Amino acid sequence: MALQRPKGTQDHLPDGSPKLSRDVQASAFAFVQDTARRVLERAGAQFIGTPLFEEAELVRRGVGGSTDIVRKEMFTVYYFGDHGGYVLRPEGTASIVRAYLQNGLKQLPAPLKLWTHGPMFRAENVQKGRLRQFHQVDYEVLGSTDPLVDAEAIWLMWAVVRELGLTGVRVKLGSIGDPEDREAYNSYLRELFTPHEGRLSDDSKDRLTRNPMRILDSKSAEDQALIRELNVNPMLDFLGEAARAHFAAVQAHLTAWGVPFDLDPSIVRGLDYYRRTAWELHHTQVGAKSALGGGGRYDGLAAQLGGPEVPGIGWAFGIERLLLALEAEGVALPGQAGPLLFLAALDEENVGLAARLALQGRAVARVEFAYRALKPGNAFKEADRRRARYAAVIGSNEAARGVLNVKNLASGEQREVPLEALKTFLEQAELEQA
Ligand code: HAM
């Protein structure tokens, strides 16, 4: 058997590829990305790019030592040299905050809205919707603690979902409070779970010392059964006054703007940098891995990375999860459009001429050409297969008279276009299309 791609990765394939395995149609992927870009740029977000690999220390300190991501899922890259190792980035936020600090972006007008997209890497157990290389659209806002910024961030996720045409999405909203609130909650959890330590999974025994809140996020069925049995009070009950007021303001904005949300008192999130507002978007038809995206506020992250205090908030969508949701809802996605014009010569002498006309036409529109002479019927069939809007043929007769024979493939109408008028013809056809 020919070599296969690594487990937990996908190929992105052109339209019309045979469906052999769980692959991604590149044009559907681009549609999701372009939709997100449109929504985010309208809100004033600017693109930021960061490397695919980072110092392991950045991820350890940013994402947090008690998370599954750092403890079990890092793709570490070693090379010969005196170095602690790099990791393939498991997410975008730590990198963006690092880039903000390293490049003095504090000087730009605040709040600074940034967005990015690209592959992320986590060595997870692979299942539907859970990959080892997946892709995120990521939005981050730096330099404001205003709850209006939180609400706007959630509204933007909602706007992306709506522009994609999804309807079965729910926003689950919670707050994980300020660090002192979380400390109080962790003490409560430690007291609650310690007498039952023997029943916890090995991972959760470890969480009990490091960060008991993580137990609530455990994937083990036994842990989840114990959590239900103990009737654990939610984090929301432990919010201090400031976090409580902030959370109320976020909810008031969302309600005023008509963004529906469900309060989720048990939201934990899988990363350590969060404080205050935290949320996830879930889809009703995507199954166990139903989180399409999630986010939250991370006011302490910049300082955690060795910089000054810079408040921040953001979110990320998983593009593959959005594609699963679109598929589940049967939303028809536009494939890549075909060429405006497909040009073919009717005899060998004119193949070069047809190619030259096509190259000139590309100043205006997408124009393709046949690499060998075709009979008119075959030329039109070829154009159809490529989903062209127009087909044009040129033989010795047309060349001598300086014209192209152009056919509108939808209406079947055929007419002659003088060679010197080709550019105008293409411009008009482009306008009609728009
Ligand atoms: P996250 O919840 O870890 O948050 O990931 C965000 C989204 O990425 C998830 O909701 C899911 O759709 C997708 N995702 C995560 N892991 C996988 C996987 N193994 N396979 C497929 N999709 C996956 C973050 O990454 C934060 N950086 C979000 C954020 C930005 N918070 C503040 N700013």
Side-chain angles (χ1 to χ4, degrees), residues 69 73 90-94 120-122 124-125 127 129-136 138-140 157 269-271 273-274 279-281 289-298 313-322:
I69 295 179
E73 296 168 1
E91 58 104 52
T93 312
M120 307 291 163
F121 306 86
R122 298 182 192 177
E124 301 211 52
N125 289 326
Q127 51 177 281
R130 193 192 277 168
L131 297 158
R132 291 186 176 164
Q133 176 176 327
F134 59 99
H135 297 75
Q136 286 184 343
D138 184 296
Y139 168 74
E140 311 288 352
M157 275 191 117
R269 306 281 298 127
L271 306 103
Y273 47 61
Y274 292 115
W279 69 92
E280 281 171 359
L281 266 66
K289 294 282 137 287
S290 68
L292 303 184
R297 182 164 274 290
Y298 49 82
I313 183 165
W315 50 253
F317 273 121
I319 297 182
E320 289 81 1
R321 301 258 179 102
L322 287 172

Side-chain angles (χ1 to χ4, degrees), residues 72-313:
K72 296 194 246 173
E73 296 168 1
M74 302 236 273
F75 275 108
T76 308
V77 182
Y78 294 106
Y79 70 100
F80 297 103
D82 182 18
H83 191 272
Y86 294 122
V87 292
L88 301 184
R89 64 179 186 190
E91 58 104 52
T93 312
S95 300
I96 289 176
V97 173
R98 178 206 44 74
Y100 177 94
L101 296 171
Q102 183 165 4
N103 299 293
L105 302 191
K106 205 173 177 168
Q107 288 172 27
L108 300 179
L112 182 64
K113 298 174 177 176
L114 301 168
W115 83 282
T116 196
H117 64 77
M120 307 291 163
F121 306 86
R122 298 182 192 177
E124 301 211 52
N125 289 326
V126 177
Q127 51 177 281
K128 189 177 178 190
R130 193 192 277 168
L131 297 158
R132 291 186 176 164
Q133 176 176 327
F134 59 99
H135 297 75
Q136 286 184 343
V137 169
D138 184 296
Y139 168 74
E140 311 288 352
V141 189
L142 291 146
S144 171
T145 55
D146 194 325
L148 193 51
V149 174
D150 305 36
E152 184 191 25
I154 298 167
W155 181 88
L156 279 169
M157 275 191 117
W158 188 245
V160 170
V161 156
R162 265 192 329 203
E163 287 229 1
L164 285 172
L166 289 170
T167 53
V169 179
R170 304 294 314 173
V171 179
K172 293 188 180 182
L173 181 65
S175 171
I176 48 179
D178 285 313
E180 57 277 17
D181 308 338
R182 238 178 7 259
E183 241 164 69
Y185 191 49
N186 270 332
S187 310
Y188 157 77
L189 292 175
R190 205 169 278 127
E191 249 171 59
L192 187 71
F193 281 106
T194 301
H196 307 278
E197 192 175 346
R199 286 177 59 193
L200 287 171
S201 66
D202 286 345
D203 276 343
S204 284
K205 283 192 187 106
D206 190 61
R207 292 175 180 129
L208 190 57
T209 33
R210 288 169 186 265
N211 188 358
M213 246 179 105
R214 288 257 151 265
I215 298 174
L216 304 180
D217 207 23
S218 165
K219 289 168 192 145
S220 135
E222 292 77 40
D223 290 349
Q224 285 303 331
L226 181 62
I227 291 164
R228 274 193 302 276
E229 204 179 298
L230 292 179
N231 241 331
V232 181
N233 291 333
M235 175 69 229
L236 280 187
D237 292 356
F238 289 74
L239 294 190
E241 217 170 288
R244 194 174 292 278
H246 186 96
F247 192 42
V250 174
Q251 291 177 64
H253 289 308
L254 290 176
T255 306
W257 301 340
V259 179
F261 60 89
D262 299 322
L263 272 194
D264 186 341
S266 61
I267 209 148
V268 176
R269 306 281 298 127
L271 306 103
D272 279 350
Y273 47 61
Y274 292 115
R275 55 173 78 166
R276 298 200 173 180
T277 322
W279 69 92
E280 281 171 359
L281 266 66
H282 286 257
H283 195 269
T284 44
Q285 291 171 47
V286 177
K289 294 282 137 287
S290 68
L292 303 184
R297 182 164 274 290
Y298 49 82
D299 296 344
L301 178 55
Q304 188 74 27
L305 300 181
E309 290 280 342
V310 182
I313 183 165

